[in-house]
Amino acid sequence: MTDKPPPRDRLKEILESGKKASPRSKTESEVDGGEGKCEAFGYLRGLRDTSASVELRFRDGNSTWFNYGLLGSWQYNPSEGLLLKFSGDVVSLVLIRGSNLDKPLTEGAINLTHAGLQRHRVLWIREMSKEEIERVGETGPTIDSIEVGEFASYEDRLEWLKKKAPGFVCETV
């Protein structure tokens, strides 16, 4: 047992004496808070920070936002890309193609898939120019294209996937 007073008594002593409490030490996630980015995506640095939505930035300057609350299943297939399914009034499929999509950044604490999208820390994902992709090379993730499809029926989704990314189609007998 230690000689320290319990937290409630310590707070009472501080309040009665008019002194300010000493600042608590900051954890790694608090120190590293804020935003980080690479060429392909931006993310929240704090390990417990989450975003309400993810922005898709297209090469033509347009953007689309999707609420993480609508994100259902998603799949990663290195030969096809990353397929996100958002369900709202209609089902939206987002097909992200690129390379090294699951590769950790140089800081090692985040990647696009597991530590990024899965934990809702990715703020934006952007299509990169050919020059940017060449500059990054194999050192990090690159985004070649982002395609969004909106569907009212399962049949329409299946047909789109067969054309765009057949590796994500599971044929049942």
Side-chain angles (χ1 to χ4, degrees):
M1 183 137 172
T2 65
D3 294 332
K4 288 175 126 180
R8 175 178 264 158
D9 292 345
R10 184 172 180 282
L11 178 60
K12 184 177 177 185
E13 288 173 9
I14 291 168
L15 292 173
E16 288 175 358
S17 69
K19 295 179 183 176
K20 291 185 177 177
S22 60
R24 62 186 177 93
S25 62
K26 295 191 182 267
T27 63
E28 179 180 331
S29 64
E30 291 170 325
V31 172
D32 292 338
E35 296 178 18
K37 67 178 182 174
C38 66
E39 294 280 345
F41 65 94
Y43 59 95
L44 294 170
R45 288 184 182 274
L47 297 176
R48 289 179 176 69
D49 292 344
T50 60
S51 177
S53 61
V54 60
E55 175 188 8
L56 304 177
R57 296 178 179 176
F58 300 96
R59 217 174 279 117
D60 63 6
N62 291 331
S63 292
T64 300
W65 285 260
F66 283 96
N67 186 310
Y68 271 117
L70 300 177
L71 179 59
S73 62
W74 57 282
Q75 300 173 33
Y76 174 60
N77 177 332
S79 61
E80 291 283 3
L82 185 60
L83 181 67
L84 310 175
K85 178 182 173 186
F86 293 91
S87 298
D89 294 337
V90 295
V91 172
S92 298
L93 295 181
V94 177
L95 179 60
I96 300 169
R97 293 186 187 264
S99 61
N100 299 318
L101 297 179
D102 63 341
K103 184 173 184 168
L105 300 182
T106 54
E107 297 90 24
I110 191 162
N111 64 0
L112 181 59
T113 55
H114 302 93
L117 288 167
Q118 183 177 354
R119 294 185 180 166
H120 299 189
R121 291 173 59 197
V122 174
L123 296 169
W124 53 264
I125 303 169
R126 66 183 278 271
E127 289 180 320
M128 299 167 62
S129 70
K130 183 178 177 183
E131 294 78 25
E132 291 169 325
I133 292 169
E134 288 172 356
R135 186 173 53 244
V136 172
E138 293 299 314
T139 64
T142 62
I143 306 294
D144 302 338
S145 67
I146 301 173
E147 294 183 72
V148 179
E150 293 183 344
F151 310 96
S153 74
Y154 173 78
E155 291 77 21
D156 291 341
R157 285 195 319 256
L158 188 59
E159 192 62 35
W160 187 82
L161 277 176
K162 284 180 181 179
K163 288 179 187 173
K164 301 286 184 177
F168 288 118
V169 177
C170 297
E171 295 290 338
T172 57
V173 180

